[in-house]
């Protein structure tokens, strides 16, 4: 084989190798990316997000309009503090409802988690798979809040923004046995049956609860789930939050140098 | 076999390999496109994404504007109640902080949770709604006075649910990393969150390899008020 042929072979091999390398690189880097920033998400996800953002935009515009009107009202009575104070009283009533500091009534559902007749007393030690954990109850409340609930109470403890649900003193034993502790809502003890009342969109709340948890979830734990609807004449009444809100660290942020009324 | 034949044979094998790789490459790209767009053209996806980015930017600006208006109202109320003896402003402030409807500031902590790194051998690499939900529950139990997740304020009826790869909070679809901010006594919050057997301990000990940063103390946290559907917060008081 002559030198010329060998060189030509070497060049061809070199060229083909470069091509092969380039293709391998493309191949290895052309996978589907992470979806977290909708970067590689499918059209359904993007359109879903678009729908949520469009709805939010409308809500923001409505709220801005209301805020601007409120500022105008406050500024329309310069020196008339009484008028502003009167409006603040109205605001206080609204804020108390929004915070959970007022007892409410409305259409809703009552969810009862009872110990079934075939299951031994849950207050005694029992197998782990029969235990209702605090985070499962947090999830249940969360499902309602994310799906049409306007207000929720758990064994007459009103759920507010700072509410927490926790079982204290739960101890794992041998052979998968649990020694139950005390379930607390707003730092108050609650016992079986767990009764969760929720005012809001009945169909949405009920549908979500049965979809995400379902009766089977409770049956498998030796419990019974009973959902009762309260509509029109027979409305649900939720208690107000019984705690006293006190804030040592959080303060409302006010505008500096705002126009005086 | 002559050297010429050997050369032709080698080149043929290389060409066949190249052809095979080109075919694989083409098929793979097609599959990815199908997964990404469900047969919708890439241009449609790109357009929708551009729209989404634009509307998200507009909403951010509107949220900031709303926040400023909110602060102005609070300042006007403070001015009007200067000589008021009924303590109405104090009651209003407490109720609004509890409802999560007004902008607040104060010291606290920040905690970030993200999916595990791409390519990691995690059994469950994604951050779930239940992870965020349980962390928020634990933060309040540790004494937090106000909490937000990626800027979304947690109110009395805020739900946290998964929608595909995102987490829906106050009807907003949030994507990881999830930055949880909490106002309260930083040392108490950190103590509560880092307790042995707590949620963070559980998340860290699992083989999910989620990326968790914090809890870290912050001198001043600023949070916007709830800006979602106002209808969700309105209800009828019970008749006495």
């Amino acid at each position: 084989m002559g030198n010329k042929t060998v060189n030509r072979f070497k060049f061809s091999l070199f060229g083909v190798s470069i091509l092969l390398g380039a293709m391998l690189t493309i191949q290895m880097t052309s996978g589907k990316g992470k979806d977290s920033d909708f970067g590689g998400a499918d059209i359904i996800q993007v359109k879903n997000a678009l729908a949520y953002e469009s709805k939010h935009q409308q809500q923001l515009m409505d709220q801005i309009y209301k805020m601007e009107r409120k500022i105008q009202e406050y500024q329309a009575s310069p020196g008339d503090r009484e008028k502003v104070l009167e409006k603040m009283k109205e605001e206080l009533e609204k804020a108390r409802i929004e915070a959970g500091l007022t007892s409410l009534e409305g259409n809703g559902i009552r969810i009862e988690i009872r110990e079934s007749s075939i299951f031994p007393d849950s207050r005694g030690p029992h197998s782990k798979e029969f235990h209702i954990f605090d985070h499962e109850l947090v999830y249940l409340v969360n499902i309602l809040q994310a799906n049409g609930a306007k207000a929720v109470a758990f064994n007459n403890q009103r759920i507010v923004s700072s509410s927490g649900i926790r079982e204290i003193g739960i101890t794992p034993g041998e052979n998968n046995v649990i020694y139950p502790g005390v379930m607390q809502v707003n730092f108050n003890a609650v016992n079986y049956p767990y009764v969760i009342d929720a005012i809001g969109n009945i169909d949405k709340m009920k549908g979500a609860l049965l979809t995400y948890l379902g009766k089977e979830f409770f049956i498998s734990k030796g419990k019974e789930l009973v959902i009762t609807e309260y509509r029109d004449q027979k409305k649900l009444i939720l208690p107000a939050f019984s705690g006293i809100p006190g804030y040592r660290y959080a303060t409302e942020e006010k505008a500096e140098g705002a126009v005086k009324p | 076999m002559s050297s010429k034949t050997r050369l032709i044979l080698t080149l043929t094998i290389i060409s066949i390999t190249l052809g095979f790789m080109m075919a694989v490459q083409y098929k793979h790209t097609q599959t990815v496109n199908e997964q990404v767009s469900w047969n919708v053209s890439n241009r449609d996806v790109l357009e929708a994404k551009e729209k989404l980015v634009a509307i998200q930017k507009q909403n951010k600006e509107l949220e900031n504007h709303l926040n400023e208006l909110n602060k102005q109202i609070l300042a006007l109320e403070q001015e009007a109640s200067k000589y008021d003896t009924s303590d109405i402003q104090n009651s209003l402030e407490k109720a609004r902080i509890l409802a999560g409807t007004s902008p607040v500031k104060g010291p606290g902590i920040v905690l970030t949770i993200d999916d595990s790194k791409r390519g990691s051998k995690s059994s469950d690499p994604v951050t779930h709604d239940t992870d965020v939900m349980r962390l928020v529950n634990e933060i309040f139990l540790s004494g937090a006075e106000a909490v937000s997740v990626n800027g979304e304020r947690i109110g009395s009826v805020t739900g946290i649910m998964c929608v595909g790869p995102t987490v829906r909070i106050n009807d907003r679809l949030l994507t990881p990393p999830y930055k949880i901010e909490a106002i309260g006594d930083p040392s108490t919050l950190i103590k509560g969150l880092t307790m042995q057997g707590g949620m963070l301990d559980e998340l860290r000990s699992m083989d999910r390899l989620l990326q968790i940063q914090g809890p870290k103390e912050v001198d001043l946290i600023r949070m916007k008020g709830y800006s979602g559907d106002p209808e969700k917060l309105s209800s009828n008081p019970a008749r006495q």
Side-chain angles (χ1 to χ4, degrees), chain A residues 57-100:
Chain A
Q57 190 163 81
Q58 194 51 54
Q59 287 164 354
L60 283 168
M61 309 254 257
D62 291 347
Q63 286 185 65
I64 285 171
Y65 175 71
K66 278 181 194 161
M67 288 276 177
E68 283 173 343
R69 267 188 52 187
K70 204 193 280 182
I71 289 175
Q72 279 171 8
E73 279 173 15
Y74 279 176
Q75 290 177 328
S77 41
D80 192 352
R81 294 181 198 280
E82 287 308 311
K83 223 170 180 177
V84 179
L85 287 173
E86 211 45 55
K87 286 197 190 305
M88 284 171 71
K89 277 179 194 155
E90 287 169 28
E91 279 301 307
L92 179 60
E93 284 315 303
K94 194 173 147 247
R96 286 178 62 83
I97 291 173
E98 292 172 345

Side-chain angles (χ1 to χ4, degrees), chain A residues 1 5 9 12-13 16 19-20 23-24 26-27 30-46 48-50 52-57 59-61 63-64 66-68 70-71 74-75 81 84-85 88-89 91-92 95-99 101-105 135 138-139 142-143 145-151 159-166 187 212 237 241 245-255 258-261, chain B residues 3 7 11 14 18 21-22 24-25 28 32 35-38 40 44-45 48-49 52 55-56 58-59 62-63 65-66 69-81 83-84 88-89 91-99 101-107 115 118 130 133-134 137 140-141 145 154-161 163 165-166 168 171-173 175-176 183-185 222 226-229 231-239:
Chain A
M1 192 160 49
T5 323
F9 176 64
S12 311
L13 209 63
V16 171
L19 247 160
L20 210 67
M23 290 211 61
L24 266 166
I26 293 166
Q27 176 79 29
S30 65
K32 194 185 173 194
K34 200 177 165 189
D35 287 349
S36 62
D37 56 352
F38 297 108
D42 66 43
I43 190 79
I44 306 289
Q45 281 167 18
V46 178
N48 203 7
L50 249 174
Y52 275 111
E53 288 297 325
S54 302
K55 191 181 160 203
H56 183 54
Q57 190 163 81
Q59 287 164 354
L60 283 168
M61 309 254 257
Q63 286 185 65
I64 285 171
K66 278 181 194 161
M67 288 276 177
E68 283 173 343
K70 204 193 280 182
I71 289 175
Y74 279 176
Q75 290 177 328
R81 294 181 198 280
V84 179
L85 287 173
M88 284 171 71
K89 277 179 194 155
E91 279 301 307
L92 179 60
R96 286 178 62 83
I97 291 173
E98 292 172 345
L101 295 167
T102 305
S103 171
L104 299 179
E105 71 174 35
H135 61 87
V138 175
Y139 186 52
N142 185 57
I143 289 171
Q145 290 174 322
N147 294 284
K150 287 183 165 193
I159 302 293
V160 292
S161 65
S162 56
S163 288
I165 299 173
R166 171 161 59 188
F187 299 104
Y212 291 110
I237 296 180
F241 175 59
Y247 296 100
R248 285 180 59 202
Y249 298 91
T251 51
E252 282 190 324
E253 191 175 14
K254 297 157 185 88
V259 186
K260 288 180 183 177
Chain B
S3 50
L7 179 69
L11 274 176
I14 292 171
L18 206 65
M21 287 203 64
M22 279 176 83
V24 170
Q25 174 76 37
H28 177 74
V32 169
Q35 278 172 356
V36 168
S37 63
W38 287 10
V40 177
D44 290 343
V45 182
K49 273 187 205 163
L52 179 62
I55 199 167
Q56 278 172 334
Q58 286 168 8
N59 285 356
L62 288 171
E63 272 172 17
H65 181 49
L66 181 67
L69 292 175
N70 224 328
K71 286 188 206 168
Q72 276 187 42
I73 286 173
L74 300 182
L76 288 166
E77 285 174 353
Q78 189 181 37
E79 182 64 30
S81 55
Y83 307 102
D84 172 53
I88 188 166
Q89 209 221 340
S91 309
L92 196 48
E93 177 164 5
K94 282 180 185 167
R96 279 195 294 224
I97 294 176
L98 186 62
T101 50
S102 57
V104 283
K105 62 178 181 179
D115 298 346
R118 206 190 301 175
T130 45
M133 175 199 83
R134 288 178 68 184
N137 183 59
F140 276 123
L141 284 167
E145 295 181 352
I154 304 297
S156 50
V157 276
T158 296
I160 301 170
M161 293 291 281
V163 179
T166 62
R168 174 166 65 94
D171 277 342
R172 309 289 305 281
L173 297 187
T175 55
I183 293 178
D185 177 19
R222 289 191 148 89
Y226 170 81
S227 62
D229 187 2
E231 183 55 32
K232 199 167 157 53
L233 299 177
S234 68
S235 292
N236 296 320
R239 280 165 286 183

Side-chain angles (χ1 to χ4, degrees), chain A residues 3-225:
Chain A
N3 268 352
K4 243 182 176 179
T5 323
V6 173
N7 279 344
R8 217 178 292 155
F9 176 64
K10 276 182 184 166
F11 277 124
S12 311
L13 209 63
F14 180 66
V16 171
S17 301
I18 286 176
L19 247 160
L20 210 67
M23 290 211 61
L24 266 166
T25 312
I26 293 166
Q27 176 79 29
M28 283 164 77
T29 54
S30 65
K32 194 185 173 194
K34 200 177 165 189
D35 287 349
S36 62
D37 56 352
F38 297 108
D42 66 43
I43 190 79
I44 306 289
Q45 281 167 18
V46 178
K47 290 209 164 162
N48 203 7
L50 249 174
Y52 275 111
E53 288 297 325
S54 302
K55 191 181 160 203
H56 183 54
Q57 190 163 81
Q58 194 51 54
Q59 287 164 354
L60 283 168
M61 309 254 257
D62 291 347
Q63 286 185 65
I64 285 171
Y65 175 71
K66 278 181 194 161
M67 288 276 177
E68 283 173 343
R69 267 188 52 187
K70 204 193 280 182
I71 289 175
Q72 279 171 8
E73 279 173 15
Y74 279 176
Q75 290 177 328
S77 41
D80 192 352
R81 294 181 198 280
E82 287 308 311
K83 223 170 180 177
V84 179
L85 287 173
E86 211 45 55
K87 286 197 190 305
M88 284 171 71
K89 277 179 194 155
E90 287 169 28
E91 279 301 307
L92 179 60
E93 284 315 303
K94 194 173 147 247
R96 286 178 62 83
I97 291 173
E98 292 172 345
L101 295 167
T102 305
S103 171
L104 299 179
E105 71 174 35
N107 293 344
I109 54 171
R110 168 165 290 173
I111 300 143
E112 286 173 84
I113 303 165
R114 302 175 185 157
E115 288 176 301
S116 73
S117 51
I118 53 158
F119 189 65
D121 189 352
S122 290
R123 282 165 291 192
H126 53 262
S127 182
K128 194 179 173 184
E129 65 253 31
F130 293 115
H131 194 71
I132 302 267
F133 289 93
D134 49 10
H135 61 87
E136 291 165 343
L137 295 167
V138 175
Y139 186 52
L140 191 154
V141 171
N142 185 57
I143 289 171
L144 298 171
Q145 290 174 322
N147 294 284
K150 287 183 165 193
V152 181
F154 189 136
N155 280 33
N156 272 326
Q157 290 295 325
R158 184 71 175 273
I159 302 293
V160 292
S161 65
S162 56
S163 288
I165 299 173
R166 171 161 59 188
E167 183 175 14
I168 56 159
I170 179 171
T171 321
E174 282 178 1
N175 300 324
N176 225 19
V177 165
I178 287 275
Y179 291 85
V182 178
M183 196 66 76
Q184 288 188 335
V185 179
N186 296 338
F187 299 104
N188 292 301
V190 294
N191 294 310
Y192 282 107
Y194 295 141
V195 181
I196 296 142
D197 290 333
I199 287 177
N201 184 327
I202 293 176
D203 299 329
K204 211 172 161 187
M205 289 191 288
K206 212 173 151 182
L209 188 63
L210 294 173
T211 307
Y212 291 110
L213 272 177
K215 291 197 173 192
E216 296 73 22
F217 175 80
F218 294 96
I219 292 167
S220 68
K221 283 176 176 277
K223 306 283 183 294
E224 261 184 295
L225 175 77

Side-chain angles (χ1 to χ4, degrees), chain B residues 163-182:
Chain B
V163 179
T166 62
V167 167
R168 174 166 65 94
I169 300 182
N170 295 337
D171 277 342
R172 309 289 305 281
L173 297 187
L174 311 178
T175 55
Y178 301 106
K179 186 181 173 193
I180 306 174
E181 290 175 297

